[in-house]
């Protein structure tokens, strides 16, 4: 069977051969055959505009700002300024969960607030209606903060959401801020992350200086509590004796954001969506950032050790080792059995801007092989694991989004480590600000495809017949109709949590159930298997 395993160069050829030559030229840069070592790693085209007419998996800037970054915060009242559909679509479909500490604490996530723009507002302007909406929300809910999110028509007609925000902030005496996150900006939801990060930094982070007495204080950046992932991590960190000041933005609150600059370290899960906050906090307050990955048991252990290593405290390291040992024993029990059933099977992952990379660890742990993977909207950094400066010629994100200039805050800048301490840690192999990407961890000759099209996915599935294809809701049923199970790595298909050790166990079980089910063999209906039956009816 090995001899018949597809040749990557031929597969690539097959994927682009039906495209018009101009489109093929574009797509060929975004489809690469992997070489994991930095010297021979190919450059990949990423964060570029999707060719119109191609069916992409991508979402919009509004989704990245309102849905992704701000969506999981329970007590900022988020108003969508625009058509009702934009508000409805971004209303909890992402399965970000929240758990207010007290029953009386505010939680607006169960509501969907929108100005429900109509034709009249498009013709005569929607600012009046927006002011009314902010006033009404204030009168009913008395929130601490209100966020206003722009959809496509807002930019087209020129409503000034920031002027409305300023006016209402003054009038109501609460924090009101707007986001110019019109859906059409940039090339994907990635632009929305950047806009969200900028505004959080300008309007919220640093508003509350209350210090915490704990010894080891961190923020978790880029963890959104999908399917309860953040709950697992909160528990893990607590057992290790690490104080979590704020999570951006799973199970989060306005006050935690406002106070997050009091932490000692920023640990980043999803670098793609929140790196801007990390960079700006380092610049202004002197907080360093490191990358962590709590997807996969091995990665979780590694990440806990990395956080402990930063603090250089023997007691903390010992506690972390104890927690890892307890958890690994539970993981091992399940993993070895499942591995025996999944070993050698193949997987493909085409998801977002970080999960297509992070989830590969889970598959590796049960012996499965990733033959192809790619992001929807990540940048070259996230693939190649090296800092790549934005290319303003092709990079629509950087043309549309303001780069904030951030200066050290003389009153509050506190370098968390001296230069000598940083140097010593580095010499021990500790990595600050590393860009660790997908390609160095994938096998040689595996396929890496950016912004994969629906057509290319179908071709890949036909050629490889993978045991599982990981994607989102738009792909799921098209894939399953081809007889291949599709695991959603966005919403987890009602499952999860998948983070941490507990999450790894859940994921192994889920994949075992999917790839070893006989049902996929029954996907052809009887009349497809026996076309003569149709023929008999046809002549009658
Ligand atoms: S939760 Fe995150 S982990 S934030 Fe980002 S890049 Fe999306 S919503 Mo869908 S699941 Fe996905 Fe990532 Fe970061 Fe989620 S892989 S596409 S914008 N994403
Ligand atoms: C988004 C959100 C999304 C969509 C998921 C999917 C999510 O991009 O607007 O396509 O299944 O995770 O909810 O990425």
């Amino acid at each position: 069977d090995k001899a018949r395993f597809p040749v990557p160069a031929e597969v690539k050829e097959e994927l682009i051969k039906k495209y018009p030559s101009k489109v093929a030229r574009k797509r060929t840069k975004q489809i690469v055959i992997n070489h994991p070592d930095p010297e021979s790693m190919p450059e990949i085209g990423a964060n570029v505009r999707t060719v119109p007419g191609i069916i992409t998996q991508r979402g919009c800037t509004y989704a990245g700002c309102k849905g992704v970054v701000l969506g999981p915060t329970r007590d900022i009242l988020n108003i969508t300024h625009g058509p009702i559909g934009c508000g409805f679509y971004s209303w909890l479909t992402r399965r970000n969960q929240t758990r207010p500490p007290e029953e009386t604490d505010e939680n607006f996530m169960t509501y969907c607030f929108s100005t429900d723009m109509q034709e009249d507002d498009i013709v005569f302007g929607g600012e009046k209606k927006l002011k009314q909406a902010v006033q009404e929300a204030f009168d009913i809910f008395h929130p601490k903060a209100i966020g206003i999110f722009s959809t496509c028509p807002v930019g087209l007609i020129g409503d000034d959401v920031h002027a409305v925000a300023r006016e209402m902030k003054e009038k109501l005496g609460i924090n009101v801020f707007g986001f110019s996150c019109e859906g059409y900006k940039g090339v994907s939801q990635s632009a929305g992350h950047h806009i969200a990060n900028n505004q959080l930094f300008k309007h919220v982070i640093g508003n509350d200086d209350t210090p915490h007495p704990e010894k080891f204080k961190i923020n978790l950046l880029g963890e959104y509590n999908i399917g309860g992932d953040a709950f697992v991590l909160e528990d893990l960190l607590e057992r290790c004796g690490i104080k979590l000041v704020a999570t951006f933005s799973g199970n989060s609150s306005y006050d935690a954001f406002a106070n997050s600059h009091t932490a000692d370290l920023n640990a980043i899960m999803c670098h793609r969506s929140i790196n801007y906050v990390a960079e700006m906090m380092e610049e202004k307050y002197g907080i360093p950032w490191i990358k962590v990955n709590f997807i996969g048991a091995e990665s979780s252990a590694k990440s806990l050790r990395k956080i402990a290593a930063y603090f250089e405290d023997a007691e903390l390291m010992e506690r972390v080792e104890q927690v890892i040992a307890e958890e690994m024993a539970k993981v091992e029990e399940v993993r070895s059995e499942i591995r025996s059933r999944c070993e050698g099977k193949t997987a493909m992952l085409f998801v977002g801007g970080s999960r297509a990379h992070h989830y590969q660890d889970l598959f590796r742990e049960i012996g499965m092989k990733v033959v192809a993977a790619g992001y929807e909207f990540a940048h070259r950094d996230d693939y190649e694991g090296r800092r790549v400066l934005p290319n303003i010629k092709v990079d629509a994100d950087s043309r549309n989004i303001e780069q904030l200039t951030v200066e050290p805050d003389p009153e509050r800048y506190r370098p968390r480590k001296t230069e000598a301490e940083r140097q010593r840690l580095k010499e021990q192999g500790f990595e600050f600000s590393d860009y660790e990407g997908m390609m160095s961890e994938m096998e040689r000759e595996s396929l890496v495809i950016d912004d994969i099209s629906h057509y290319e996915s179908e071709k890949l599935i036909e050629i490889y017949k993978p045991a599982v294809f990981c994607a989102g809701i738009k792909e799921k049923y098209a894939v399953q109709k081809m007889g291949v199970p599709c695991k959603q790595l966005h919403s987890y298909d009602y499952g999860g949590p998948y983070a941490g050790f507990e999450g790894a166990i859940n994921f192994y079980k889920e994949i075992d159930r999917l790839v070893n089910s006989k049902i996929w063999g029954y996907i052809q209906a009887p009349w497809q298997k026996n076309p003569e039956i149709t023929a008999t009816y046809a002549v009658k």
Side-chain angles (χ1 to χ4, degrees), residues 57 59 63 68 89 93-94 189 472-475 488 490-491:
Q57 300 178 307
V68 173
Y89 172 73
T93 49
R94 185 153 165 264
Q189 47 272 69
I473 191 64
K474 301 186 289 298
E475 299 79 38
Q488 293 190 66
H490 301 262
S491 70

Side-chain angles (χ1 to χ4, degrees), residues 206-281:
N207 287 359
D208 171 14
D209 285 323
T210 315
H212 294 276
E214 289 85 352
K215 220 165 151 192
F216 316 112
K217 299 176 283 286
I218 70 163
N219 297 315
L220 202 51
L221 266 53
E223 162 50 58
Y224 299 94
N225 204 19
I226 311 303
D229 279 355
F231 298 147
V232 174
L233 302 184
E234 286 168 11
D235 176 63
L236 258 184
L237 292 171
E238 197 185 323
R239 280 162 57 201
C240 294
I242 299 162
K243 163 79 182 168
L244 185 57
V245 180
T247 302
F248 287 75
S249 51
N251 194 28
S252 64
S253 65
Y254 176 81
D255 289 343
F257 289 163
N259 184 243
S260 59
H261 62 298
T262 63
D264 302 311
L265 176 71
N266 280 329
I268 311 192
M269 278 280 285
C270 168
H271 178 265
R272 180 67 270 130
S273 59
I274 207 85
N275 67 86
Y276 319 94
V277 159
E279 299 275 2
M280 291 188 284
M281 282 177 90

Side-chain angles (χ1 to χ4, degrees), residues 144-428:
K144 297 184 177 121
I146 295 180
I148 300 165
F149 298 85
S150 307
T151 56
C152 295
V154 172
L156 297 174
I157 65 173
D159 275 2
D160 187 346
V161 297
H162 305 290
V164 172
R166 275 195 302 275
E167 186 186 323
M168 295 312 280
K169 180 177 177 174
E170 182 79 10
K171 183 174 176 199
L172 304 174
I174 60 164
N175 201 352
V176 185
F177 37 88
F179 296 85
S180 290
C181 56
E182 287 85 350
Y184 58 74
K185 277 194 174 175
V187 299
S188 69
Q189 47 272 69
S190 176
H193 303 149
H194 198 164
I195 292 163
N197 281 224
N198 282 358
Q199 296 301 77
L200 273 179
F201 194 76
K202 265 205 264 182
H203 296 278
V204 187
I205 296 169
N207 287 359
D208 171 14
D209 285 323
T210 315
H212 294 276
E214 289 85 352
K215 220 165 151 192
F216 316 112
K217 299 176 283 286
I218 70 163
N219 297 315
L220 202 51
L221 266 53
E223 162 50 58
Y224 299 94
N225 204 19
I226 311 303
D229 279 355
F231 298 147
V232 174
L233 302 184
E234 286 168 11
D235 176 63
L236 258 184
L237 292 171
E238 197 185 323
R239 280 162 57 201
C240 294
I242 299 162
K243 163 79 182 168
L244 185 57
V245 180
T247 302
F248 287 75
S249 51
N251 194 28
S252 64
S253 65
Y254 176 81
D255 289 343
F257 289 163
N259 184 243
S260 59
H261 62 298
T262 63
D264 302 311
L265 176 71
N266 280 329
I268 311 192
M269 278 280 285
C270 168
H271 178 265
R272 180 67 270 130
S273 59
I274 207 85
N275 67 86
Y276 319 94
V277 159
E279 299 275 2
M280 291 188 284
M281 282 177 90
E282 179 155 31
E283 218 37 57
K284 184 165 176 182
Y285 303 108
I287 307 173
W289 62 267
I290 58 169
K291 270 212 72 171
V292 292
N293 173 19
F294 283 102
I295 301 298
E298 294 294 340
S299 306
S300 298
K302 202 171 132 197
S303 298
L304 284 177
R305 289 189 179 116
K306 193 168 171 184
I307 295 170
Y310 171 81
F311 288 107
E312 300 181 273
D313 180 276
E315 239 176 81
L316 174 64
M317 288 182 190
E318 201 185 302
R319 244 188 340 260
V320 161
E321 287 307 327
Q322 218 174 323
V323 171
I324 293 174
E326 279 165 29
E327 293 293 317
M328 273 303 197
K330 288 186 257 175
V331 167
E332 220 30 65
E333 222 174 281
V334 182
R335 195 185 70 99
S336 50
E337 193 205 323
I338 288 180
R339 192 181 170 114
S340 69
R341 286 192 293 269
C342 295
E343 184 101 57
K345 291 190 190 294
T346 54
M348 291 181 179
L349 302 85
F350 292 98
V351 189
S354 81
R355 293 174 180 226
H357 168 208
H358 286 165
Y359 274 77
Q360 293 193 23
D361 290 353
L362 279 168
F363 284 112
R364 228 169 272 136
E365 287 173 2
I366 51 173
M368 287 179 64
K369 188 177 151 80
V370 176
V371 289
Y375 300 119
E376 292 168 45
F377 51 76
H379 302 199
R380 276 181 59 199
D381 300 347
D382 310 287
Y383 283 107
E384 298 171 31
R386 50 193 170 202
R387 188 159 196 187
V388 183
L389 292 173
N391 175 353
I392 42 174
K393 264 213 194 116
V394 292
D395 208 325
D397 273 15
S398 27
R399 271 184 294 173
N400 281 316
I401 301 149
E402 185 192 3
Q403 280 289 349
L404 298 184
T405 27
V406 180
E407 305 271 320
D409 177 342
E411 311 267 286
R412 295 185 288 177
Y413 187 87
R414 177 168 65 85
R416 284 7 187 220
K417 293 267 180 202
T418 63
E419 206 34 61
E421 283 169 335
R422 271 178 173 248
Q423 201 47 45
R424 196 185 55 234
L425 275 172
K426 273 190 198 160
E427 276 159 23
Q428 290 162 11

